[in-house]
Amino acid sequence: MRNSTVSTRLYRGSRRFSVILAAALMCSVAPVPAQHAGGAPQAAASHPFALTVDSIMRGPDLVGWAPDAVRWSADSSKVYFDWRKPGEDEASTYVVARAGGEPRKLTDEEVKHVPPPNGRWDREHRRILASVGGDIVIVEPDGTRRQITRTSGAESSPRWARRDTHVTYVRDGNLFIVPVTGETTALVTQLTDVTPKKVEPRLTDSQKFLRDEEEALIKHVREEKAQKKKQEDKAKKDKLPAFELADRQAASDLMLSPDGKHVFIIVSERPASAKNTIVPNFVTETGYTADIQGRTNVGDSQDRRLLAMLNLETGKSVWADGSFAPPAPQAEKAAAAGSTTGAENQPGRKAEREIRWSMPAVSGDGQHVVAGARSTDNKDRWFVALDPETGKTNVIDTLHDDAWIREAGFGGGAIEFLRDSPRAWFLSERDGWMHLYAIDVSAPDGAAKPLTSGKWEITSAEVSADGTKFYITSTEAHPGERHLYSLPIDGGVRTKITAMTGSNQATVSPDDSTLALVHSYSNKPPELYLSPNAPGAAARQVTTTPTAEWRSFTWIDPKVITFKARDGVEVYARLYTPEMIGARRDASHPGVVFVHGAGYAQNAHKYWASYFREYMFHNLLASRGYVVLDVDYRASSGYGRDWRTAIYRHMGGKDLEDIVDGAKVLAAKEQVNPKRIGVYGGSYGGFITLMAMFTTPDVFAAGAALRPVTDWAHYNHGYTSAILNVPQKDMEAYRRSSPIYFAEGLKGALLICHGMVDTNVHFQDSVRLAQRLIELRKENWSIAPYPVENHGFTEETSWADEYKRILKLFEDNLRTTKAGKATN
């Protein structure tokens, strides 16, 4: 599930819905001069900031839009980035010199001549290849833009081929190639003919008898048949190498091997019997309700992902052999019976566990091919050496997890070869933490060797332009920080390069001399910096993103703390207190615990939160005398495998215990009244809020569940099946993890907010829970549906309406004093 938040109109539930018209309270706090994280005063705005729900829910229009899509020019002299400067209506592409200075907005014409975001550089890092608006383009070192295609169709997956002298791309499920060495683009050649399998008409016995008799009796019929066969044989010689797709199959990606002999084809196969959900959209331009086709639910039939190889010289095709996958565990054998792993055309194959393939990685000399495969039950991942001629496979690395595996980059980029080397590298959680590994594919008994280790995680890795080292971003300094390190290509001593506390997302210049950093701190939104590529070098700020109004206020720098959970583990959390914003604690001593979404996400850190609206709302609560705790509960990201899988087969178990233990910390160490603690969160946070209100009703006096999952059997397959398996085989896990089964436990005041066109967690989840609460004759609850909102809200008015209701919920149930008397 993704991070976001939800809102809409409010109805109250007793035995029926009735509209609640009460207006939410507002609050204003006098501003004080703001400072950067480093302490330098900022210029005050002409209109000082008023801390109100309406103000903070302006979102990016207030705090700004972070610099994005950072990329260097080929000669390392300039940095390009996408940015929406304060006061602008839309994002534009900007450029700044490596030496720094004022960034300049490019014209639409100039943008055509700069490196596109997410393009592929050639080996020399001079030209960049990309798909732009469905067409293929190359930008040369001097900025010349070469249009490789210009069609009404959609070209995708551009790749360099034949030592960067050609380009391949995919259109309509086929692979095309074009030379790009001359000044003008040469002839485009189609390499494959991927088509649906032709189905010959089935004849009855009577029809077959007449056909055979006609051929036996009439010489002319025999001669015509022979002539037709000659023409077909001649056509086959001139025909493109063909690959036939079965029913419900499509070629989703194709890649040419370096030697130009084989094409690797990822084939997706739609399930035959799956049922998609429907999300009704009530507010449309036609005035009629429209149906949005949604996803399938967990446990329903899912698509398959197969891998085939097509020999362009012989036209022969083979499927990658998945027989290396061991039989499914006992609980899965019934489902596996009759299914295969994509080698259906291989005689005598046994039906093994179903797997999903990724596009292979190929060594620069074309001698070694490695593909990733993952079991659909989420327990295993294999890297296999692959023979593209026969489809035979040899396992070179395995990863197993009794809960579910987490593998960085799976589905594309899971493993990569070093340049002109049989050594490949990948990220893996095999020792309990995400680390960097290398393997020599050419070695007969080669085994993956760790290049990093420790109780910290790598969040990203890449090889330097010259191929001599890795650049990794990791949590080694602190779980709540992100820093760039360099590491020799063969492993060894790491060198920490960035120094600013917080998050540092670096893009290294092609000449390896300079870093373009997107840096943020807890109370300082992301900005672009430039820094020499040297340990501890000072960085120069390039952008100023937040509005002057936002910068005029002194925002809380929340304290990152730890506390011991009931089982003795250290839990990280962010703490906000009234003293941090110059306010007094309310006489009622109220507290609030915030629960971030996504489950696997992190929010107790020292950099700008993706939950920035919630961050500002916590400033507002603190200004009213509340103490707020933002907990990285069990299953949050950044804390290793055991932390991640602690919720296996029981969501609402260890994760909820951490939230409850956090509430106890507020009472024990922050003098919060244990009878006046609230809880709220969105998506997974909404789910935890419901579990808290239903299963620990004496801990929380009030809770706001935003876009919550109420029944995991109604959520999607990819996320849910990993953690809870599938409902038809592990219903116990679903029943103890789904709030709808515990609704009778509700005692405190509950607010449910949900977007009605939510295509992720469907509005149906909240509707079904509402009916359950009605049938249980529960009265102290309300529901706010938001007619035009998806899972992540977009309308400022929806955000404001939702958070006014949350504020009113807490004010009415957690405080005894009136709002006007409780501010600073």
Side-chain angles (χ1 to χ4, degrees):
M1 296 184 322
R2 299 291 180 197
N3 305 358
S4 301
T5 318
V6 192
S7 352
T8 329
R9 287 203 176 167
L10 190 66
Y11 297 87
R12 190 160 184 86
S14 51
R15 299 184 184 180
R16 62 184 177 85
F17 291 135
S18 61
V19 179
I20 290 184
L21 301 175
L25 299 174
M26 298 285 291
C27 144
S28 178
V29 173
V32 293
Q35 292 186 342
H36 282 292
Q42 300 179 40
S46 57
H47 299 288
F49 182 74
L51 186 60
T52 67
V53 172
D54 280 320
S55 289
I56 63 181
M57 291 305 154
R58 285 178 285 166
D61 288 338
L62 173 66
V63 303
W65 303 78
D68 190 26
V70 178
R71 63 265 195 202
W72 285 89
S73 60
D75 63 0
S76 301
S77 66
K78 296 179 286 292
V79 175
Y80 301 98
F81 59 100
D82 295 345
W83 187 38
R84 182 171 167 179
K85 199 172 183 179
E88 295 182 338
D89 294 331
E90 60 183 9
S92 303
T93 300
Y94 281 77
V95 62
V96 64
R98 176 167 62 183
E102 185 71 19
R104 181 177 67 85
K105 182 164 71 172
L106 301 180
T107 65
D108 291 343
E109 181 59 32
E110 286 177 312
V111 170
K112 296 178 181 179
H113 304 283
V114 306
N118 303 317
R120 293 177 185 265
W121 290 96
D122 62 9
R123 288 168 57 90
E124 302 303 320
H125 210 282
R126 298 177 62 253
R127 299 173 295 166
I128 190 168
L129 170 70
S131 175
V132 179
D135 286 317
I136 308 302
V137 301
I138 292 176
V139 176
E140 301 286 352
D142 62 359
T144 302
R145 178 173 172 143
R146 298 179 62 181
Q147 198 77 33
I148 304 304
T149 67
R150 191 189 300 276
T151 71
S152 59
E155 288 88 31
S156 62
S157 302
R159 294 181 173 95
W160 295 101
R162 298 177 181 173
R163 307 294 287 188
D164 298 347
T165 62
H166 292 66
V167 166
T168 64
Y169 58 86
V170 176
R171 183 174 67 210
D172 298 328
N174 276 292
L175 190 65
F176 295 78
I177 191 168
V178 56
V180 292
T181 52
E183 293 184 0
T184 59
T185 301
L187 179 69
V188 174
T189 302
Q190 184 172 338
L191 294 178
T192 63
D193 181 21
V194 179
T195 57
K197 186 176 182 178
K198 295 179 180 179
V199 180
E200 297 293 336
R202 298 184 65 178
L203 302 179
T204 65
D205 290 343
S206 172
Q207 293 165 348
K208 291 178 183 177
F209 171 78
L210 292 178
R211 179 199 61 190
D212 294 343
E213 280 298 296
E214 197 75 356
E215 182 179 340
L217 287 171
I218 308 298
K219 178 182 178 183
H220 175 74
V221 172
R222 295 194 297 273
E223 290 175 346
E224 272 198 341
K225 182 178 179 181
Q227 183 62 27
K228 182 180 179 180
K229 187 176 185 308
K230 285 182 180 180
Q231 292 173 349
E232 289 176 349
D233 291 343
K234 183 177 183 300
K236 285 181 180 179
K237 293 180 180 179
D238 301 328
K239 194 176 179 181
L240 291 170
F243 182 81
E244 288 189 337
L245 298 169
D247 186 31
R248 306 188 315 279
Q249 288 185 344
S252 57
D253 195 12
L254 299 92
M255 183 180 76
L256 183 67
S257 63
D259 60 8
K261 185 176 180 181
H262 295 92
V263 172
F264 302 97
I265 307 173
I266 294 292
V267 177
S268 59
E269 182 177 298
R270 301 186 312 277
S273 55
K275 183 175 182 178
N276 285 70
T277 56
I278 294 175
V279 177
N281 184 7
F282 292 95
V283 182
T284 65
E285 59 180 296
T286 65
Y288 289 87
T289 301
D291 289 340
I292 301 172
Q293 290 294 322
R295 52 165 171 77
T296 59
N297 288 335
V298 59
D300 205 346
S301 301
Q302 302 297 312
D303 68 312
R304 302 171 66 200
R305 187 178 170 95
L306 316 175
L307 174 62
M309 284 71 65
L310 173 64
N311 188 312
L312 295 180
E313 297 175 357
T314 65
K316 177 186 175 183
S317 62
V318 295
W319 294 96
D321 179 11
S323 60
F324 56 81
Q330 188 64 39
E332 302 295 323
K333 283 186 177 179
S339 70
T340 65
T341 57
E344 296 90 338
N345 58 347
Q346 297 180 14
R349 278 205 76 260
K350 294 182 179 180
E352 303 290 355
R353 187 153 41 146
E354 189 173 319
I355 58 177
R356 291 174 63 84
W357 290 90
S358 65
M359 183 62 81
V362 187
S363 60
D365 60 7
Q367 296 301 306
H368 304 283
V369 180
V370 175
R374 177 172 179 156
S375 64
T376 55
D377 64 5
N378 306 299
K379 311 296 184 189
D380 293 282
R381 184 274 296 149
W382 303 269
F383 288 137
V384 298
L386 178 66
D387 182 352
E389 191 63 31
T390 64
K392 292 182 179 180
T393 53
N394 178 46
V395 175
I396 61 172
D397 187 79
T398 63
L399 179 69
H400 174 80
D401 198 307
D402 289 337
W404 75 97
I405 59 169
R406 172 184 170 234
E407 196 68 7
F410 189 84
I415 187 168
E416 295 183 21
F417 278 94
L418 297 174
R419 180 183 294 187
D420 299 326
S421 170
R423 293 178 68 225
W425 66 274
F426 58 94
L427 295 175
S428 178
E429 203 184 40
R430 66 192 315 130
D431 73 344
W433 302 81
M434 188 62 72
H435 279 293
L436 181 64
Y437 291 80
I439 185 170
D440 187 342
V441 178
S442 65
D445 299 316
K449 298 179 180 179
L451 300 183
T452 62
S453 62
K455 292 186 177 181
W456 47 272
E457 299 217 320
I458 293 177
T459 58
S460 67
E462 65 178 355
V463 179
S464 63
D466 62 8
T468 63
K469 55 183 170 289
F470 289 101
Y471 284 112
I472 62 174
T473 302
S474 79
T475 64
E476 184 172 0
H478 186 277
E481 295 188 44
R482 300 291 184 271
H483 286 284
L484 181 72
Y485 294 76
S486 66
L487 173 72
I489 204 70
D490 294 321
V493 178
R494 295 178 297 280
T495 301
K496 183 172 179 286
I497 300 174
T498 54
M500 293 185 290
T501 301
S503 173
N504 300 276
Q505 302 300 322
T507 304
V508 185
S509 63
D511 67 2
D512 218 37
S513 69
T514 314
L515 305 179
L517 291 170
V518 176
H519 165 76
S520 71
Y521 184 67
S522 300
N523 60 356
K524 189 172 184 289
E527 303 286 10
L528 181 66
Y529 290 75
L530 291 171
S531 167
N533 185 6
R540 306 181 302 281
Q541 185 172 336
V542 172
T543 61
T544 300
T545 295
T547 61
E549 180 187 4
W550 189 89
R551 288 183 283 121
S552 72
F553 191 81
T554 299
W555 296 94
I556 290 176
D557 181 357
K559 185 178 181 181
V560 177
I561 66 168
T562 62
F563 64 87
K564 280 195 179 295
R566 65 192 65 183
D567 59 357
V569 303
E570 293 287 334
V571 179
Y572 282 80
R574 264 184 169 189
L575 178 68
Y576 302 74
T577 67
E579 294 81 7
M580 294 176 179
I581 202 169
R584 294 192 304 270
R585 300 201 178 203
D586 182 73
S588 307
H589 295 280
V592 169
V593 180
F594 172 65
V595 190
H596 67 69
Y600 195 71
Q602 187 178 12
N603 212 45
H605 47 59
K606 299 181 182 180
Y607 49 89
W608 188 246
S610 58
Y611 291 96
F612 55 87
R613 291 181 180 87
E614 291 80 354
Y615 163 77
M616 292 187 286
F617 184 62
H618 297 161
N619 276 257
L620 189 154
L621 289 175
S623 76
R624 287 174 169 251
Y626 291 79
V627 178
V628 181
L629 193 67
D630 177 354
V631 181
D632 270 349
Y633 50 88
R634 227 69 62 97
S636 296
S637 63
Y639 304 100
R641 180 266 172 196
D642 291 348
W643 190 273
R644 173 180 66 82
T645 61
I647 60 170
Y648 179 56
R649 298 190 68 242
H650 191 188
M651 291 190 274
K654 289 290 185 183
D655 44 5
L656 176 57
E657 289 179 0
D658 292 342
I659 297 300
V660 171
D661 291 346
K664 292 178 180 178
V665 168
L666 288 182
K669 296 187 177 182
E670 292 297 330
Q671 292 75 53
V672 167
N673 187 334
K675 300 296 183 183
R676 296 187 179 276
I677 300 178
V679 60
Y680 88 102
S683 199
Y684 197 96
F687 149 72
I688 287 290
T689 297
L690 291 177
M691 291 294 277
M693 296 299 292
F694 294 165
T695 66
T696 60
D698 296 323
V699 176
F700 300 101
L706 320 177
R707 62 199 183 282
V709 173
T710 67
D711 188 343
W712 287 106
H714 287 251
Y715 194 55
N716 70 33
H717 184 85
Y719 181 91
T720 320
S721 66
I723 304 172
L724 300 180
N725 302 312
V726 293
Q728 61 268 36
K729 296 178 182 177
D730 198 354
M731 195 58 204
E732 178 187 357
Y734 281 79
R735 286 188 177 130
R736 67 184 179 187
S737 300
S738 297
I740 199 167
Y741 291 98
F742 304 97
E744 68 277 3
L746 177 64
K747 291 182 181 179
L750 173 64
L751 168 66
I752 304 169
C753 298
H754 211 137
M756 294 178 68
V757 287
D758 192 333
T759 55
N760 182 7
V761 180
H762 297 153
F763 181 58
Q764 181 190 26
D765 261 53
S766 289
V767 172
R768 292 177 67 242
L769 178 61
Q771 180 61 28
R772 179 84 175 120
L773 292 169
I774 291 169
E775 293 174 357
L776 290 168
R777 301 181 184 273
K778 297 293 182 179
E779 297 184 359
N780 196 23
W781 65 279
S782 56
I783 182 169
Y786 293 80
V788 301
E789 298 292 359
N790 203 317
H791 197 60
F793 281 17
T794 58
E795 298 294 324
E796 177 186 323
T797 51
S798 298
W799 282 103
D801 182 272
E802 179 179 50
Y803 273 78
K804 287 177 184 178
R805 299 188 188 282
I806 298 171
L807 179 60
K808 186 176 189 301
L809 175 77
F810 292 156
E811 295 282 85
D812 289 349
N813 293 278
L814 305 182
R815 287 178 32 155
T816 56
T817 54
K818 291 185 179 180
K821 296 181 180 180
T823 57
N824 53 321

